[in-house]
Coordinates of all heavy atoms in Angstrom, one line a residue:
M160 N -16.2 5.6 -22.0 CA -16.9 5.4 -20.8 C -17.2 6.7 -20.1 O -16.2 7.5 -20.0 CB -16.0 4.6 -19.8 CG -15.8 3.2 -20.4 SD -17.3 2.2 -20.4 CE -17.3 1.7 -22.1
G161 N -18.3 7.0 -19.8 CA -18.6 8.2 -19.0 C -18.0 8.1 -17.7 O -18.2 7.2 -17.0
G162 N -17.4 9.2 -17.3 CA -16.7 9.1 -16.0 C -17.6 9.1 -14.8 O -17.6 10.1 -14.0
R163 N -18.3 8.1 -14.6 CA -19.2 8.0 -13.5 C -18.4 7.8 -12.2 O -17.7 6.9 -12.1 CB -20.1 6.8 -13.8 CG -21.2 6.7 -12.7 CD -22.0 5.4 -13.0 NE -23.0 5.7 -14.0 CZ -24.3 5.8 -13.8 NH1 -24.8 5.7 -12.6 NH2 -25.1 6.1 -14.8
R164 N -18.8 8.6 -11.3 CA -18.1 8.5 -10.1 C -18.6 7.4 -9.2 O -19.9 7.1 -9.2 CB -18.4 9.8 -9.3 CG -17.1 10.6 -9.1 CD -17.4 11.9 -8.5 NE -16.8 12.9 -9.2 CZ -16.1 13.9 -8.6 NH1 -16.0 13.9 -7.3 NH2 -15.5 14.9 -9.3
R165 N -17.7 6.7 -8.6 CA -18.1 5.6 -7.7 C -18.5 6.2 -6.4 O -17.8 6.9 -5.7 CB -17.0 4.7 -7.5 CG -17.4 3.3 -7.0 CD -16.2 2.4 -7.0 NE -15.7 2.1 -8.4 CZ -14.6 1.5 -8.6 NH1 -13.8 1.0 -7.7 NH2 -14.2 1.3 -9.9
K166 N -19.8 6.0 -6.0 CA -20.2 6.6 -4.7 C -20.5 5.5 -3.8 O -20.9 4.4 -4.2 CB -21.3 7.5 -4.9 CG -22.5 6.9 -5.6 CD -23.6 8.0 -5.8 CE -24.8 7.5 -6.6 NZ -25.8 8.4 -6.7
K167 N -20.3 5.8 -2.5 CA -20.6 4.8 -1.5 C -22.1 4.5 -1.4 O -22.9 5.5 -1.3 CB -20.1 5.3 -0.2 CG -18.6 5.1 -0.1 CD -18.1 4.5 1.2 CE -16.8 3.9 1.1 NZ -16.1 3.7 2.4
V168 N -22.4 3.3 -1.4 CA -23.8 3.0 -1.3 C -24.1 2.4 0.1 O -23.4 1.5 0.6 CB -24.2 1.9 -2.3 CG1 -25.7 1.5 -2.2 CG2 -23.9 2.3 -3.7
I169 N -25.0 3.1 0.8 CA -25.3 2.7 2.1 C -26.5 1.7 2.1 O -27.5 2.0 1.5 CB -25.6 3.9 3.0 CG1 -24.4 4.8 3.1 CG2 -26.1 3.5 4.4 CD1 -24.8 6.2 3.5
V170 N -26.2 0.6 2.6 CA -27.2 -0.5 2.5 C -27.6 -0.9 3.9 O -26.8 -1.2 4.7 CB -26.6 -1.7 1.7 CG1 -27.7 -2.8 1.6 CG2 -26.1 -1.3 0.3
K171 N -28.9 -0.8 4.1 CA -29.4 -1.3 5.4 C -29.5 -2.8 5.4 O -29.7 -3.4 4.4 CB -30.8 -0.7 5.6 CG -30.8 0.8 5.9 CD -32.2 1.2 6.3 CE -32.5 2.6 5.7 NZ -33.9 2.9 5.7
K172 N -29.3 -3.3 6.6 CA -29.5 -4.7 6.8 C -31.0 -5.1 6.7 O -31.8 -4.6 7.5 CB -29.0 -5.2 8.1 CG -27.5 -5.1 8.2 CD -26.9 -6.5 7.9 CE -25.3 -6.4 7.8 NZ -24.7 -7.6 7.4
V173 N -31.3 -5.9 5.7 CA -32.7 -6.3 5.6 C -32.8 -7.9 5.6 O -31.8 -8.5 5.2 CB -33.3 -5.8 4.3 CG1 -33.7 -4.3 4.5 CG2 -32.5 -6.0 3.1
K174 N -33.9 -8.3 6.1 CA -34.0 -9.7 6.2 C -34.6 -10.3 4.9 O -34.5 -11.5 4.6 CB -35.0 -10.1 7.3 CG -34.3 -9.8 8.7 CD -33.3 -10.9 9.1 CE -32.9 -10.6 10.5 NZ -31.8 -11.4 10.9
K175 N -35.3 -9.5 4.2 CA -35.9 -9.9 2.9 C -34.9 -10.2 1.8 O -33.8 -9.7 1.9 CB -36.9 -8.9 2.5 CG -38.2 -9.0 3.3 CD -39.2 -8.0 2.7 CE -39.2 -6.7 3.5 NZ -40.1 -5.7 3.0
T176 N -35.4 -11.0 0.9 CA -34.5 -11.4 -0.2 C -34.8 -10.5 -1.5 O -34.8 -11.1 -2.6 CB -34.7 -12.9 -0.6 OG1 -36.0 -13.1 -0.9 CG2 -34.2 -13.8 0.5
L177 N -35.0 -9.3 -1.2 CA -35.3 -8.4 -2.4 C -34.0 -8.3 -3.2 O -32.9 -8.1 -2.6 CB -35.7 -7.0 -1.9 CG -37.1 -6.9 -1.3 CD1 -37.3 -5.5 -0.8 CD2 -38.1 -7.2 -2.4
P178 N -34.1 -8.4 -4.5 CA -32.9 -8.2 -5.3 C -32.4 -6.7 -5.2 O -33.2 -5.8 -5.1 CB -33.4 -8.4 -6.7 CG -34.7 -9.1 -6.6 CD -35.3 -8.7 -5.3
K179 N -31.2 -6.5 -5.1 CA -30.6 -5.2 -5.0 C -29.9 -4.8 -6.3 O -29.5 -5.7 -7.0 CB -29.5 -5.2 -3.9 CG -30.0 -5.6 -2.6 CD -30.7 -4.4 -1.9 CE -31.1 -4.8 -0.5 NZ -30.5 -4.1 0.6
I180 N -29.9 -3.6 -6.6 CA -29.3 -3.1 -7.8 C -27.9 -2.5 -7.5 O -27.7 -1.7 -6.7 CB -30.2 -2.0 -8.5 CG1 -31.6 -2.4 -8.5 CG2 -29.6 -1.6 -9.8 CD1 -31.9 -3.6 -9.4
F181 N -26.9 -3.0 -8.3 CA -25.6 -2.5 -8.2 C -25.1 -2.1 -9.5 O -25.7 -2.3 -10.5 CB -24.7 -3.6 -7.6 CG -25.1 -4.1 -6.2 CD1 -25.9 -5.2 -6.0 CD2 -24.6 -3.5 -5.2 CE1 -26.3 -5.6 -4.8 CE2 -24.9 -3.8 -3.9 CZ -25.7 -4.9 -3.7
V182 N -23.9 -1.4 -9.4 CA -23.2 -1.0 -10.7 C -22.5 -2.1 -11.3 O -21.7 -2.8 -10.6 CB -22.3 0.2 -10.4 CG1 -21.6 0.6 -11.6 CG2 -23.1 1.4 -9.8
C183 N -22.7 -2.4 -12.5 CA -22.1 -3.5 -13.3 C -20.6 -3.1 -13.6 O -20.4 -2.1 -14.2 CB -22.8 -3.7 -14.6 SG -22.0 -4.9 -15.6
P184 N -19.7 -4.0 -13.2 CA -18.3 -3.7 -13.5 C -17.9 -3.8 -15.0 O -16.9 -3.4 -15.4 CB -17.5 -4.7 -12.7 CG -18.5 -5.9 -12.6 CD -19.9 -5.2 -12.5
N185 N -18.8 -4.4 -15.7 CA -18.5 -4.7 -17.1 C -19.0 -3.5 -18.0 O -18.2 -3.0 -18.8 CB -19.2 -6.0 -17.6 CG -18.8 -6.4 -19.0 OD1 -17.6 -6.4 -19.3 ND2 -19.8 -6.8 -19.8
C186 N -20.2 -3.1 -17.8 CA -20.8 -2.1 -18.7 C -21.0 -0.8 -18.0 O -21.2 0.3 -18.6 CB -22.1 -2.5 -19.3 SG -23.4 -2.7 -18.1
G187 N -20.8 -0.8 -16.7 CA -20.9 0.5 -15.9 C -22.3 0.9 -15.6 O -22.5 1.9 -15.0
G188 N -23.3 0.2 -16.1 CA -24.6 0.5 -15.9 C -25.1 0.1 -14.5 O -24.6 -0.9 -13.9
K189 N -26.1 0.8 -14.0 CA -26.7 0.4 -12.7 C -27.8 -0.6 -13.0 O -29.0 -0.3 -12.7 CB -27.2 1.6 -11.9 CG -27.0 1.4 -10.5 CD -27.4 2.6 -9.7 CE -27.3 2.3 -8.2 NZ -27.8 3.4 -7.3
N190 N -27.4 -1.7 -13.5 CA -28.4 -2.7 -13.9 C -28.0 -4.1 -13.3 O -28.6 -5.1 -13.8 CB -28.4 -2.8 -15.5 CG -28.8 -1.5 -16.1 OD1 -27.9 -0.6 -16.2 ND2 -30.0 -1.4 -16.5
L191 N -27.2 -4.1 -12.4 CA -26.7 -5.4 -11.9 C -27.6 -5.8 -10.7 O -27.6 -5.1 -9.7 CB -25.3 -5.3 -11.5 CG -24.5 -6.6 -11.2 CD1 -24.1 -7.2 -12.6 CD2 -23.3 -6.4 -10.3
T192 N -28.2 -6.9 -10.8 CA -29.0 -7.4 -9.7 C -28.4 -8.6 -9.1 O -27.8 -9.4 -9.8 CB -30.4 -7.8 -10.2 OG1 -30.4 -8.8 -11.2 CG2 -31.2 -6.6 -10.7
I193 N -28.5 -8.7 -7.8 CA -28.0 -9.9 -7.1 C -29.2 -10.5 -6.2 O -29.8 -9.7 -5.5 CB -26.8 -9.5 -6.2 CG1 -25.7 -8.9 -7.0 CG2 -26.4 -10.7 -5.4 CD1 -24.5 -8.4 -6.1
S194 N -29.4 -11.7 -6.4 CA -30.4 -12.4 -5.6 C -29.8 -13.6 -4.9 O -28.9 -14.2 -5.4 CB -31.6 -12.7 -6.4 OG -31.2 -13.5 -7.5
I195 N -30.3 -13.9 -3.7 CA -29.8 -14.9 -2.9 C -30.9 -16.0 -2.7 O -32.0 -15.6 -2.3 CB -29.2 -14.4 -1.6 CG1 -28.0 -13.5 -1.8 CG2 -28.8 -15.6 -0.7 CD1 -27.5 -12.8 -0.6
N196 N -30.5 -17.2 -2.9 CA -31.4 -18.3 -2.6 C -31.3 -18.5 -1.1 O -30.2 -19.0 -0.6 CB -31.0 -19.5 -3.3 CG -31.3 -19.4 -4.8 OD1 -32.3 -18.8 -5.2 ND2 -30.5 -20.1 -5.6
K197 N -32.3 -18.0 -0.4 CA -32.1 -18.0 1.1 C -32.6 -19.4 1.6 O -33.8 -19.7 1.7 CB -32.9 -16.9 1.7 CG -32.4 -16.4 2.9 CD -32.6 -14.9 3.1 CE -31.6 -14.4 4.2 NZ -31.7 -12.9 4.3
E198 N -31.6 -20.1 2.0 CA -31.8 -21.4 2.6 C -31.3 -21.3 4.0 O -30.1 -21.3 4.2 CB -31.2 -22.6 1.9 CG -31.6 -22.7 0.5 CD -33.0 -23.4 0.4 OE1 -33.5 -23.9 1.4 OE2 -33.6 -23.3 -0.7
E199 N -32.2 -21.2 5.0 CA -31.7 -20.9 6.4 C -30.8 -22.0 6.9 O -29.9 -21.7 7.8 CB -32.9 -20.8 7.3 CG -33.8 -19.6 6.9 CD -33.2 -18.3 7.1 OE1 -32.3 -18.2 7.9 OE2 -33.6 -17.4 6.4
N200 N -30.9 -23.1 6.4 CA -30.1 -24.3 7.0 C -28.7 -24.4 6.4 O -27.8 -25.0 6.9 CB -30.8 -25.6 6.8 CG -32.2 -25.6 7.5 OD1 -32.4 -24.9 8.5 ND2 -33.1 -26.3 6.9
E201 N -28.6 -23.7 5.2 CA -27.4 -23.9 4.5 C -26.3 -23.0 5.1 O -26.4 -21.9 5.4 CB -27.6 -23.6 3.0 CG -28.6 -24.4 2.3 CD -28.1 -25.8 2.0 OE1 -26.9 -26.0 1.9 OE2 -29.0 -26.7 1.9
E202 N -25.1 -23.6 5.1 CA -23.9 -22.9 5.5 C -23.5 -21.9 4.4 O -22.9 -20.9 4.7 CB -22.8 -23.8 5.9 CG -23.0 -24.5 7.3 CD -23.0 -23.6 8.5 OE1 -22.2 -22.6 8.4 OE2 -23.8 -23.8 9.3
V203 N -23.6 -22.5 3.2 CA -23.2 -21.7 2.0 C -24.4 -21.5 1.1 O -25.1 -22.4 0.8 CB -22.1 -22.4 1.2 CG1 -21.7 -21.7 0.0 CG2 -20.8 -22.6 2.1
R204 N -24.5 -20.2 0.7 CA -25.6 -19.9 -0.1 C -25.1 -19.4 -1.4 O -23.9 -18.9 -1.5 CB -26.5 -18.8 0.5 CG -27.2 -19.3 1.8 CD -28.0 -18.2 2.3 NE -27.3 -17.1 2.8 CZ -27.8 -15.9 3.2 NH1 -29.0 -15.7 3.1 NH2 -27.0 -15.0 3.6
V205 N -25.9 -19.4 -2.4 CA -25.4 -19.0 -3.8 C -26.1 -17.7 -4.1 O -27.3 -17.6 -4.1 CB -25.7 -20.1 -4.8 CG1 -25.3 -19.6 -6.2 CG2 -24.9 -21.4 -4.5
A206 N -25.3 -16.7 -4.5 CA -25.9 -15.5 -4.9 C -25.7 -15.4 -6.4 O -24.7 -15.7 -7.0 CB -25.1 -14.3 -4.3
I207 N -26.9 -15.1 -7.0 CA -26.9 -15.0 -8.5 C -26.7 -13.6 -8.9 O -27.5 -12.7 -8.6 CB -28.2 -15.6 -9.0 CG1 -28.3 -17.1 -8.6 CG2 -28.2 -15.5 -10.6 CD1 -29.7 -17.6 -8.3
V208 N -25.7 -13.3 -9.7 CA -25.4 -11.9 -10.2 C -25.8 -11.8 -11.6 O -25.5 -12.7 -12.4 CB -23.9 -11.7 -10.0 CG1 -23.6 -10.2 -10.4 CG2 -23.5 -11.9 -8.6
K209 N -26.6 -10.8 -12.0 CA -26.9 -10.7 -13.3 C -27.1 -9.2 -13.8 O -27.7 -8.4 -13.0 CB -28.3 -11.4 -13.5 CG -28.6 -11.6 -15.0 CD -29.6 -12.8 -15.1 CE -29.4 -13.5 -16.4 NZ -30.1 -14.8 -16.5
C210 N -26.6 -8.9 -14.9 CA -26.7 -7.5 -15.4 C -27.8 -7.5 -16.5 O -27.7 -8.3 -17.4 CB -25.4 -7.0 -16.0 SG -25.5 -5.4 -16.6
G211 N -28.7 -6.6 -16.4 CA -29.8 -6.5 -17.3 C -29.4 -5.7 -18.6 O -30.2 -5.6 -19.5
R212 N -28.2 -5.2 -18.6 CA -27.8 -4.4 -19.7 C -26.8 -5.1 -20.6 O -27.0 -5.1 -21.8 CB -27.1 -3.2 -19.1 CG -26.9 -2.1 -20.2 CD -26.5 -0.8 -19.5 NE -25.8 0.1 -20.3 CZ -25.2 1.3 -19.9 NH1 -25.2 1.5 -18.6 NH2 -24.6 2.1 -20.7
C213 N -25.8 -5.7 -20.0 CA -24.8 -6.4 -20.9 C -24.9 -7.9 -20.8 O -24.1 -8.6 -21.3 CB -23.4 -5.9 -20.6 SG -22.8 -6.4 -18.9
N214 N -25.9 -8.4 -20.0 CA -26.1 -9.8 -19.8 C -25.0 -10.6 -19.1 O -24.8 -11.8 -19.2 CB -26.4 -10.5 -21.2 CG -27.8 -10.2 -21.7 OD1 -28.7 -10.0 -20.9 ND2 -27.9 -10.0 -22.9
L215 N -24.1 -9.8 -18.4 CA -23.1 -10.5 -17.6 C -23.8 -11.2 -16.5 O -24.8 -10.7 -15.9 CB -22.2 -9.4 -17.0 CG -21.1 -9.8 -16.1 CD1 -20.0 -10.5 -16.8 CD2 -20.6 -8.7 -15.3
S216 N -23.4 -12.4 -16.3 CA -24.0 -13.2 -15.2 C -23.0 -14.1 -14.6 O -22.0 -14.5 -15.2 CB -25.2 -14.0 -15.7 OG -24.8 -15.0 -16.5
D217 N -23.1 -14.3 -13.3 CA -22.2 -15.1 -12.5 C -22.9 -15.5 -11.2 O -24.0 -15.0 -10.9 CB -21.0 -14.2 -12.2 CG -19.7 -15.1 -12.0 OD1 -19.8 -16.3 -11.9 OD2 -18.6 -14.6 -12.0
T218 N -22.2 -16.4 -10.6 CA -22.7 -16.8 -9.2 C -21.5 -16.7 -8.3 O -20.4 -17.0 -8.6 CB -23.3 -18.2 -9.2 OG1 -22.3 -19.1 -9.7 CG2 -24.5 -18.3 -10.0
V219 N -21.8 -16.3 -7.1 CA -20.8 -16.4 -6.0 C -21.4 -17.0 -4.8 O -22.6 -17.0 -4.6 CB -20.3 -14.9 -5.6 CG1 -19.4 -14.4 -6.7 CG2 -21.4 -14.0 -5.4
E220 N -20.5 -17.6 -4.0 CA -21.0 -18.3 -2.8 C -20.7 -17.4 -1.6 O -19.7 -16.7 -1.5 CB -20.2 -19.6 -2.6 CG -20.6 -20.6 -3.6 CD -20.0 -22.0 -3.4 OE1 -19.0 -22.0 -2.5 OE2 -20.4 -23.0 -4.0
I221 N -21.7 -17.3 -0.8 CA -21.5 -16.5 0.5 C -22.0 -17.5 1.6 O -22.7 -18.4 1.5 CB -22.3 -15.2 0.5 CG1 -23.8 -15.5 0.3 CG2 -21.8 -14.3 -0.5 CD1 -24.7 -14.3 0.5
T222 N -21.4 -17.2 2.8 CA -21.8 -17.9 4.0 C -23.1 -17.3 4.5 O -23.5 -16.2 4.1 CB -20.8 -17.9 5.1 OG1 -20.6 -16.5 5.5 CG2 -19.4 -18.3 4.5
K223 N -23.7 -17.9 5.5 CA -25.0 -17.5 5.9 C -24.9 -16.2 6.7 O -26.0 -15.6 7.0 CB -25.8 -18.6 6.6 CG -25.2 -19.0 7.9 CD -26.0 -20.1 8.5 CE -25.5 -20.7 9.8 NZ -26.4 -21.7 10.3
V224 N -23.8 -15.9 7.2 CA -23.6 -14.6 7.9 C -23.4 -13.4 7.0 O -23.3 -12.3 7.4 CB -22.6 -14.7 9.0 CG1 -22.9 -15.7 10.1 CG2 -21.2 -14.9 8.4
E225 N -23.2 -13.7 5.7 CA -22.9 -12.7 4.7 C -24.2 -12.3 4.0 O -25.2 -13.0 4.1 CB -21.8 -13.1 3.8 CG -20.5 -13.3 4.4 CD -19.4 -13.8 3.4 OE1 -19.7 -14.8 2.7 OE2 -18.3 -13.3 3.5
D226 N -24.1 -11.1 3.4 CA -25.3 -10.6 2.8 C -25.0 -10.2 1.3 O -24.0 -10.5 0.8 CB -25.7 -9.3 3.5 CG -27.2 -9.1 3.6 OD1 -27.9 -9.6 2.7 OD2 -27.7 -8.5 4.5
I227 N -26.0 -9.7 0.7 CA -25.9 -9.3 -0.7 C -24.8 -8.4 -1.0 O -24.1 -8.6 -2.0 CB -27.3 -8.7 -1.2 CG1 -28.3 -9.8 -1.4 CG2 -27.1 -7.9 -2.4 CD1 -29.7 -9.3 -1.8
V228 N -24.5 -7.5 -0.1 CA -23.4 -6.6 -0.2 C -22.1 -7.4 -0.3 O -21.2 -7.0 -1.0 CB -23.3 -5.6 0.9 CG1 -22.2 -4.5 0.7 CG2 -24.7 -4.9 1.1
D229 N -22.0 -8.4 0.6 CA -20.8 -9.2 0.6 C -20.7 -10.0 -0.7 O -19.6 -10.2 -1.3 CB -20.8 -10.2 1.7 CG -20.9 -9.5 3.1 OD1 -20.0 -8.7 3.4 OD2 -21.9 -9.6 3.8
A230 N -21.8 -10.4 -1.2 CA -21.9 -11.1 -2.5 C -21.3 -10.2 -3.6 O -20.6 -10.7 -4.5 CB -23.3 -11.6 -2.8
Y231 N -21.8 -9.0 -3.6 CA -21.3 -8.0 -4.5 C -19.8 -7.8 -4.5 O -19.1 -7.8 -5.5 CB -22.0 -6.7 -4.4 CG -21.6 -5.6 -5.4 CD1 -21.9 -5.8 -6.7 CD2 -21.0 -4.5 -5.0 CE1 -21.6 -4.9 -7.7 CE2 -20.7 -3.5 -5.9 CZ -21.0 -3.7 -7.2 OH -20.6 -2.7 -8.2
G232 N -19.3 -7.7 -3.3 CA -17.8 -7.5 -3.1 C -17.1 -8.7 -3.6 O -16.1 -8.6 -4.3
K233 N -17.6 -9.9 -3.3 CA -16.9 -11.1 -3.8 C -17.0 -11.2 -5.4 O -16.0 -11.6 -6.0 CB -17.6 -12.3 -3.3 CG -17.2 -12.5 -1.8 CD -17.8 -13.9 -1.3 CE -17.3 -14.1 0.1 NZ -17.7 -15.4 0.6
F234 N -18.1 -10.8 -5.9 CA -18.3 -10.8 -7.3 C -17.3 -9.8 -8.0 O -16.6 -10.2 -9.0 CB -19.7 -10.4 -7.7 CG -19.9 -10.1 -9.2 CD1 -19.8 -11.1 -10.1 CD2 -20.1 -8.8 -9.6 CE1 -19.9 -10.8 -11.4 CE2 -20.3 -8.5 -10.9 CZ -20.1 -9.5 -11.8
I235 N -17.2 -8.7 -7.4 CA -16.2 -7.7 -7.9 C -14.8 -8.2 -7.9 O -14.0 -8.1 -8.9 CB -16.3 -6.3 -7.2 CG1 -17.7 -5.6 -7.4 CG2 -15.2 -5.4 -7.5 CD1 -17.9 -5.3 -8.9
D236 N -14.5 -8.8 -6.7 CA -13.1 -9.4 -6.6 C -12.9 -10.5 -7.7 O -11.8 -10.5 -8.3 CB -12.9 -10.0 -5.2 CG -12.8 -9.0 -4.2 OD1 -12.6 -7.8 -4.5 OD2 -12.9 -9.3 -3.0
K237 N -13.9 -11.3 -7.8 CA -13.8 -12.4 -8.8 C -13.7 -11.8 -10.2 O -12.8 -12.3 -11.0 CB -15.0 -13.3 -8.7 CG -15.0 -14.5 -9.5 CD -16.3 -15.3 -9.2 CE -16.4 -16.5 -10.1 NZ -17.7 -17.2 -10.0
Y238 N -14.5 -10.8 -10.5 CA -14.5 -10.2 -11.8 C -13.2 -9.7 -12.2 O -12.6 -9.9 -13.2 CB -15.6 -9.2 -11.9 CG -15.7 -8.6 -13.3 CD1 -16.4 -9.1 -14.3 CD2 -15.0 -7.4 -13.6 CE1 -16.5 -8.6 -15.6 CE2 -15.1 -6.8 -14.8 CZ -15.8 -7.4 -15.8 OH -15.8 -6.9 -17.1
Y239 N -12.6 -8.9 -11.3 CA -11.4 -8.2 -11.6 C -10.2 -9.2 -11.4 O -9.1 -8.9 -12.0 CB -11.2 -7.0 -10.7 CG -12.1 -5.8 -11.1 CD1 -13.1 -5.4 -10.4 CD2 -11.8 -5.2 -12.4 CE1 -13.9 -4.4 -10.9 CE2 -12.6 -4.2 -12.9 CZ -13.7 -3.8 -12.1 OH -14.5 -2.8 -12.5
G240 N -10.4 -10.3 -10.7 CA -9.4 -11.3 -10.6 C -9.3 -12.1 -11.9 O -8.2 -12.6 -12.2
V241 N -10.4 -12.2 -12.6 CA -10.4 -13.0 -13.8 C -10.1 -12.2 -15.0 O -9.3 -12.6 -15.9 CB -11.8 -13.7 -14.0 CG1 -11.9 -14.4 -15.4 CG2 -12.0 -14.7 -12.8
V242 N -10.8 -11.1 -15.1 CA -10.6 -10.2 -16.3 C -9.5 -9.2 -16.1 O -9.7 -8.3 -15.2 CB -12.0 -9.5 -16.6 CG1 -11.8 -8.7 -17.9 CG2 -13.1 -10.5 -16.8
K243 N -8.5 -9.3 -16.8 CA -7.4 -8.4 -16.8 C -7.5 -7.4 -17.9 O -7.7 -7.8 -19.0 CB -6.1 -9.1 -16.8 CG -5.9 -10.1 -15.7 CD -5.5 -9.5 -14.4 CE -5.2 -10.6 -13.4 NZ -5.3 -10.1 -12.0
K244 N -7.4 -6.2 -17.6 CA -7.5 -5.2 -18.7 C -6.2 -5.0 -19.5 O -5.2 -5.1 -18.9 CB -7.9 -3.8 -18.1 CG -9.3 -3.8 -17.7 CD -9.7 -2.3 -17.5 CE -11.3 -2.3 -17.2 NZ -11.7 -1.0 -16.9
Ligands
ZN472 ZN1 -23.4 -4.9 -17.4

């Protein structure tokens, strides 16, 4: 694994549902996209996580006050909670 440094990503609050690119915890590539099905009425929304490099995919639930960044955080927690090295 190339020692890629984890850097803080500053994410602006946006209203649009543009997919964001994150670093994949599985392959380390910056190929992880998260998209949210934005249903304004829903209390819980589903964020779809997908890596274009290693085909890792998952879904996490977020509340309507949370954003893609929160989805990513939850996904990371879930990933490391499930996969033990
Ligand atoms: Zn990956």
Side-chain angles (χ1 to χ4, degrees):
M160 294 295 126
R163 180 184 284 253
R164 245 173 229 231
R165 197 173 296 171
K166 56 182 174 180
K167 284 226 162 160
V168 182
I169 298 159
V170 182
K171 285 187 219 165
K172 289 266 176 185
V173 284
K174 293 281 182 187
K175 282 184 263 179
T176 55
L177 286 175
K179 301 278 181 118
I180 310 296
F181 296 93
V182 175
C183 175
N185 188 48
C186 67
K189 210 174 179 189
N190 299 78
L191 195 82
T192 56
I193 300 179
S194 52
I195 296 174
N196 291 328
K197 211 149 198 173
E198 300 284 347
E199 297 298 334
N200 302 328
E201 299 289 335
E202 287 296 321
V203 175
R204 295 180 295 169
V205 175
I207 299 145
V208 183
K209 197 155 206 168
C210 179
R212 193 167 159 189
C213 66
N214 289 323
L215 178 75
S216 67
D217 206 348
T218 55
V219 288
E220 288 184 351
I221 57 169
T222 66
K223 64 180 180 182
V224 296
E225 293 177 314
D226 215 331
I227 282 177
V228 186
D229 301 298
Y231 181 64
K233 287 188 177 186
F234 166 68
I235 291 298
D236 287 347
K237 187 177 173 185
Y238 181 83
Y239 286 111
V241 171
V242 182
K243 303 282 184 197
K244 284 195 173 176

